[in-house]
DNA sequence: GTCTATACGCCGATAGAC
DNA sequence: GTCTATCGGCGTATAGAC
């Protein structure tokens, strides 16, 4: 971990409090990477949004790559938090429909910038691949969780259905983004919700 | 048009033959943009692949943006050529299944670099948007053509089905790429083929 | 720990010889 | 039309004062 430790872990270690510049930098990185893409984003952009002097960034992250890793880790943490909240819902079908509902709610941002994680993963996969596997692992974690829900619904083909659902989300995000039309997200979201209903109540 | 004229049009005008450096530059741009992404790609990269001296690039394209436009136009031309070939097939269902089959055939490259056009469109949408609408228009042209096929199949919801099919392709490309697993493309391609069969022979 | 000033390299673009 | 040499700007990263 080192640079990509979560805030919780570092707080437990008792260092780097005071304003939480590190946290602000990571939040800014996630946001600006989403809006501008990784390659177009300069460290100055991130520093400005985080309200941290440019040169000071290097105290927290030795290179731009470390900031990218931290951003990926933040997405991983966000996914864990999301699925944690969804687990509180009574049944797997409701959880999946809530997941889809959350995607649709973000349709305006999706129309502007695409899926926050999908666009990042796509871009990182074209970098001088090092530990970009991390992006793949986050995507895999999402599919794994969805697979678990389909499994609870008693479907033996849970993996295939999970890939189908996540792919549908990524695909409708790409079209929503490329055509700049949030209505695509709404329409396809409704289709997926009906599809879940059809699987849950056959 | 100007810089983004097609080869055919320029040939009719009778200029820029001799080795077709312009064509080589566009081909190289399409390929390198796909493999590295637009932002990471330098004009030197493209010139090297096209076997053209770096400085000479500017005789054919005044700026890097013009090369990007030409690459988008090349995708547009490729799409026209593809649908033209598919039109030769007897029925709309066969045409759609051939379209899907072509996507699956490219699964190895998709696992490495993603969908050649989807990744480009996603990246361009985050640029200082100018005439990036062009990317959206190519995507729209694909959906339009697919819609026409579903229309021939007598489906009143042809548009929605077309969006669903293209989104499915974009989504399975993202997952295939991010997880670096061409098998996803194969499995989802078979699912889509069965889906077309179900629509064509209800 | 925090911040400023600056080194260094790379890339897009231009000037101009041939 | 073709190519070389080079400029100017920007972005990453570092040195070092406070």
């Amino acid at each position: 971990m080192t640079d990509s430790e979560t805030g919780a872990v570092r707080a437990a270690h008792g260092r780097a409090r005071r304003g939480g510049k590190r946290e602000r930098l990571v939040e800014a990185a996630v946001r600006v990477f989403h809006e501008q893409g990784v390659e177009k984003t300069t460290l100055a952009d991130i520093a400005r949004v985080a309200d941290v002097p440019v040169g000071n960034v290097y105290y927290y992250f030795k290179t731009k790559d470390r900031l990218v890793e931290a951003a990926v880790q933040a997405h991983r943490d966000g996914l864990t938090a999301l699925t944690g909240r969804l687990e509180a819902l009574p049944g797997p079908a409701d959880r999946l429909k809530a997941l889809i509902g959350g995607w649709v709610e973000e349709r305006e941002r999706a129309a502007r910038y695409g899926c926050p994680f999908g666009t990042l993963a796509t871009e990182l996969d074209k970098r001088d691949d090092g530990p970009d596997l991390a992006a793949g692992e986050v995507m895999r974690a999402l599919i794994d969780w969805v697979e678990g829900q389909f499994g609870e619904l008693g479907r033996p083909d849970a993996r295939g259905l999970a890939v189908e659902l996540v792919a549908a989300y990524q695909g409708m995000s790409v079209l929503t983004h490329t055509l700049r039309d949030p209505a695509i997200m709404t329409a396809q979201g409704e289709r997926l919700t009906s599809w879940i209903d059809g699987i849950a109540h056959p």
Side-chain angles (χ1 to χ4, degrees), chain A residues 7-18:
Chain A
V9 171
R10 283 185 311 94
H13 286 192
R15 66 177 166 89
R17 247 135 340 187
R18 187 162 44 260

Side-chain angles (χ1 to χ4, degrees), chain A residues 85-124:
Chain A
R85 290 194 300 274
L86 293 176
E87 294 286 355
L89 293 175
D94 283 333
R95 291 184 205 123
L96 291 174
K97 287 194 281 185
L99 178 67
I100 295 165
W103 292 337
V104 174
E105 276 177 22
E106 292 299 312
R107 62 188 176 279
E108 291 293 344
R109 268 185 81 75
R112 276 183 181 277
Y113 311 115
C115 169
F117 184 70
T119 56
L120 179 63
T122 296
E123 199 176 358
L124 292 183

Side-chain angles (χ1 to χ4, degrees), chain A residues 2-168:
Chain A
T2 64
D3 265 348
S4 46
E5 284 174 324
T6 67
V9 171
R10 283 185 311 94
H13 286 192
R15 66 177 166 89
R17 247 135 340 187
R18 187 162 44 260
K21 293 198 177 179
R22 205 196 125 95
E23 283 71 16
R24 264 154 50 208
L25 281 169
V26 174
E27 281 170 28
V30 168
R31 188 175 141 201
V32 182
F33 285 161
H34 183 209
E35 296 176 359
Q36 303 188 345
V38 175
E39 297 296 339
K40 271 196 72 76
T41 297
T42 70
L43 294 177
D45 290 334
I46 295 172
R48 184 168 24 80
V49 171
D51 198 34
V52 168
V54 206
N56 198 3
V57 172
Y58 288 92
Y59 175 74
Y60 296 96
F61 301 95
K62 282 188 268 295
T63 76
K64 185 179 179 180
D65 265 332
R66 299 290 179 179
L67 246 180
V68 171
E69 288 172 19
V72 171
Q73 184 61 39
H75 278 286
R76 173 70 247 228
D77 294 344
L79 175 62
T80 302
L82 171 63
T83 54
R85 290 194 300 274
L86 293 176
E87 294 286 355
L89 293 175
D94 283 333
R95 291 184 205 123
L96 291 174
K97 287 194 281 185
L99 178 67
I100 295 165
W103 292 337
V104 174
E105 276 177 22
E106 292 299 312
R107 62 188 176 279
E108 291 293 344
R109 268 185 81 75
R112 276 183 181 277
Y113 311 115
C115 169
F117 184 70
T119 56
L120 179 63
T122 296
E123 199 176 358
L124 292 183
D125 283 336
K126 298 199 175 186
R127 285 199 132 207
D128 315 315
D129 19 12
D132 294 343
L133 309 163
E137 283 168 27
V138 179
M139 190 71 84
R140 196 184 307 275
L142 171 59
I143 297 172
D144 287 346
W145 184 84
V146 173
E147 176 182 8
Q149 306 308 309
F150 280 120
E152 284 192 37
L153 283 171
R155 296 288 303 224
D157 54 343
R159 188 67 183 181
L161 293 173
V163 170
E164 185 178 341
L165 177 57
V166 175

